């Protein structure tokens, strides 16, 4: 096992590993202690988190001075990429639109960063996200890993990787329904088959102009605009992407009604323009803040 640490002083802006990994943007990291999404606050913690990237097991945790890591490889560059530690968070916030709700969200979870999850695992997890709470989505990914992932021995334990596209493509709809994927089962199987066969892959999307990339993403089975935006934002680094889930639709209705345009594409464009550069960052802060019970501050006289 290799070990190391990334000093917080070497990262531009604040870091909050727990807020980053338990804010609903990733279901490919989990706590080895079994408490993922089960603790109050969802920020500022020092628990270990684990993931598997390219068959390398990586653990991270935050201390007062560093992000410590341990893994099957020299994980420092992987951790920097996966946790968005290259992003200059102060500059991102400085360029964003500011209002009482946005300010409250950024203040509450300063240090939350946008992850860069592996493409296929991110895609499957958000196909599974339709009409599901984050805790249930996470549980689905655990079951998929255990049934179809590659077992890896790490620190005396068996850790399972995210399944390969070929493994899920070979599964039957019945097999996946047995893992409680419900109506999402055929979507996962058919999308996995597309990736495994080369019919549509990450390479067909990454690097395209944002709205064209989103349109191409919807060619995957079970992928609409919202899921496409999630994958673009949380895997491919399209920081302009703004997934419009029920939380964001409610936020638009209650706080930004001028952004409502009727069609997803038009509302998304208006909301992105309102939020400013790197709108996906501000959207993620708003999502985590509102889902965790935050609200707009009362106006002062």
């Amino acid at each position: 096992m290799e070990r190391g640490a990334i000093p917080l002083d070497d990262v531009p802006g604040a870091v909050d590993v727990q807020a980053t990994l338990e804010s609903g943007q990733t279901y490919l990291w989990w706590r080895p202690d079994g408490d993922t999404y089960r603790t109050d606050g969802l920020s500022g913690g020092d628990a270990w988190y684990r993931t598997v990237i390219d068959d390398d097991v990586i653990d991270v945790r935050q201390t007062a001075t560093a992000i410590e890591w341990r893994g099957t490889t020299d994980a420092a560059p992987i951790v920097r990429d996966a946790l968005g530690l290259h992003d200059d968070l102060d500059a991102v916030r400085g360029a964003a639109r500011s209002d009482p709700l946005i300010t409250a969200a950024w203040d509450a979870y300063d240090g939350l960063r946008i992850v860069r999850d592996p493409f296929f695992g991110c895609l499957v997890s958000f196909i599974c996200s339709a009409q599901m709470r984050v805790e249930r989505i996470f549980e689905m990914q655990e079951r998929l890993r255990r049934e179809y992932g590659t077992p890896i021995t790490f620190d005396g334990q068996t850790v399972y990787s995210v399944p390969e596209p070929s493994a899920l493509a070979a599964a039957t709809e019945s097999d996946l329904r047995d893992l409680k994927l419900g109506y999402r089962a055929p979507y996962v199987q058919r999308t996995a088959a597309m990736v495994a066969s080369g019919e549509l892959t990450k390479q067909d999307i990454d690097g395209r102009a944002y709205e064209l990339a989103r349109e191409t993403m919807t060619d995957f089975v079970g992928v609409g605009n919202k899921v496409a935006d999630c994958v673009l934002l949380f895997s491919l680094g399209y920081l302009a992407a703004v997934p419009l889930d029920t939380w964001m639709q409610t936020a638009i209705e209650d706080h930004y009604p001028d952004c409502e345009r009727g069609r997803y594409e038009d509302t998304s464009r208006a909301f992105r323009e309102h939020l400013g550069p790197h709108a996906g960052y501000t959207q993620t802060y708003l999502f985590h803040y509102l889902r965790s019970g935050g609200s707009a501050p009362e106006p002062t006289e």
Side-chain angles (χ1 to χ4, degrees), residues 6 17 79 119 127 138 297:
I6 300 171
V17 167
V79 170
F119 177 78
I127 289 175
F138 171 74

Side-chain angles (χ1 to χ4, degrees), residues 54-55 120-121 124 144 148-150 161-170 192-193 195-196:
D54 295 331
D55 291 331
F120 182 68
V124 168
L144 286 171
Y148 294 103
T150 301
S161 70
V162 172
E164 292 293 328
S166 58
L168 293 183
V195 177

Side-chain angles (χ1 to χ4, degrees), residues 31-44:
R31 285 173 55 160
D33 64 8
D35 283 341
T36 316
Y37 289 114
R38 295 180 182 172
T39 56
D40 294 332
L42 298 181
S43 67

